[in-house]
């Protein structure tokens, strides 16, 4: 006879090392629907798997869609947003767990504080900047978290090609990130990093 363990209990331990993820994503609303749907899928999946999301606090674009879907599915999400953005009314009003920082630099440090992994969904200049800074921190051992670039619809194809060229020509020593093409592969990829650390 099978032990009396619920599927819900199983789910909670499925990604045993992934309690909180940091997500970088676009705030622009006028982007192709495929990207908004991907953000929604990540919000729903994190809610289902009991994984907390830390993100930049926006109410629009991929950030807003991810936050809305996470909340609608009973998930936990933490907004980290600088004071000047709150004053501009750019913050998500439904996200109760909000950390307001004095500036952008402290925001980026807080975003990765107590996180177990970093996820870059499609985004613009802000997302690129956050991604490259945290990759630099990894190189310098300031941050040791796994980084996953989510290449939905081949959005990051040219950026990844540039990174490969930089590595091939020895401007970059080693690859500091993993790449997935589907949202459902994000959490398994992050957990895989920790599984390899334990072996």
């Amino acid at each position: 006879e099978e032990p009396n363990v619920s599927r819900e209990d199983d789910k909670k331990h499925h990604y045993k090392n992934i309690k909180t993820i940091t997500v970088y994503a676009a705030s622009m609303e006028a982007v192709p629907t495929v990207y908004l749907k991907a953000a929604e899928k990540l919000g729903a999946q994190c809610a289902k798997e009991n994984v907390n999301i830390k993100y930049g606090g926006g109410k629009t674009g991929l950030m807003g869609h991810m936050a809305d879907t996470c909340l609608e599915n009973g998930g936990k999400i933490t907004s980290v947003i600088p004071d000047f953005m709150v004053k501009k009314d750019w913050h998500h009003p439904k996200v109760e767990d909000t950390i307001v920082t004095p500036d952008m630099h402290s925001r980026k440090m807080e975003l990765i504080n107590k996180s177990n992994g970093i996820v870059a969904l499609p985004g613009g200049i802000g997302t690129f900047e956050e991604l490259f800074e945290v990759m630099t921190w990894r190189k310098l051992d300031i941050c040791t978290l796994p980084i996953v670039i989510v290449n939905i619809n081949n959005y990051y194809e040219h950026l990844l090609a540039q990174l490969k060229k930089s590595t091939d020509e020895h401007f970059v020593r080693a690859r500091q990130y993993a790449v997935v093409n589907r949202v459902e592969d994000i959490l398994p990829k992050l957990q895989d990093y920790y599984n390899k650390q334990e072996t």
Side-chain angles (χ1 to χ4, degrees):
E1 190 174 325
E2 290 186 10
N4 186 22
V5 177
S6 74
R7 290 180 180 271
E8 287 301 315
D9 288 336
D10 265 350
K11 284 177 191 171
K12 287 178 183 176
H13 300 289
H14 194 53
Y15 302 108
K16 62 180 182 177
N17 298 102
I18 313 300
K19 310 298 182 194
T20 300
I21 61 170
T22 300
V23 180
Y24 305 143
S27 61
M28 298 298 288
E29 193 70 35
V31 299
T33 305
V34 63
Y35 303 119
L36 299 174
K37 292 295 184 188
E40 291 170 5
K41 186 180 283 188
L42 179 58
Q45 185 180 18
C46 286
K48 177 185 174 185
E49 299 292 350
N50 202 30
V51 173
N52 180 36
I53 295 172
K54 287 184 89 171
Y55 86 119
K59 61 183 177 182
T60 57
L62 276 72
M63 286 203 284
H65 283 255
M66 176 183 68
D68 287 339
T69 310
C70 180
L71 292 170
E72 286 164 9
N73 285 273
K76 188 179 178 194
I77 187 161
T78 302
S79 161
V80 183
I81 189 165
D83 182 58
F84 81 90
M85 288 188 178
V86 175
K87 288 174 180 172
K88 289 178 182 285
D89 196 33
W90 292 351
H91 62 292
H92 198 303
K94 293 180 182 175
V95 178
E96 293 180 3
D97 186 10
T98 296
I99 299 169
V100 179
T101 64
D103 51 47
M104 292 290 282
H105 296 292
S106 52
R107 177 205 205 183
K108 286 183 283 186
M109 290 298 291
E110 179 56 42
L111 272 168
I112 66 169
N113 183 34
K114 298 180 180 176
S115 177
N116 304 116
I118 295 165
V119 176
L121 288 176
I125 296 298
T127 301
F128 300 157
E129 190 266 344
E130 289 168 323
L131 175 60
F132 273 94
E133 182 163 56
V134 82
M135 285 168 66
T136 303
W137 289 350
R138 259 210 79 164
K139 183 174 181 286
L140 298 172
D141 289 327
I142 296 170
C143 168
T144 58
L145 299 174
I147 300 167
V148 173
I149 297 173
V150 189
N151 191 32
I152 298 293
N153 200 36
N154 287 323
Y155 179 76
Y156 281 114
E157 179 181 4
H158 298 292
L159 179 63
L160 293 169
Q162 180 60 61
L163 288 169
K164 183 178 184 304
K165 184 175 177 65
S166 300
T167 304
D168 290 346
E169 298 192 359
H170 308 292
F171 287 93
V172 178
R173 280 200 198 112
R175 191 163 134 167
Q176 302 287 332
Y177 55 90
V179 179
V180 299
N181 297 315
R182 306 183 313 158
V183 168
E184 48 266 48
D185 294 331
I186 295 171
L187 295 180
K189 182 64 73 173
L190 289 171
Q191 182 58 52
D192 186 53
Y193 168 84
Y194 289 101
N195 292 344
K196 287 176 180 174
Q197 298 291 103
E198 291 172 4
T199 56

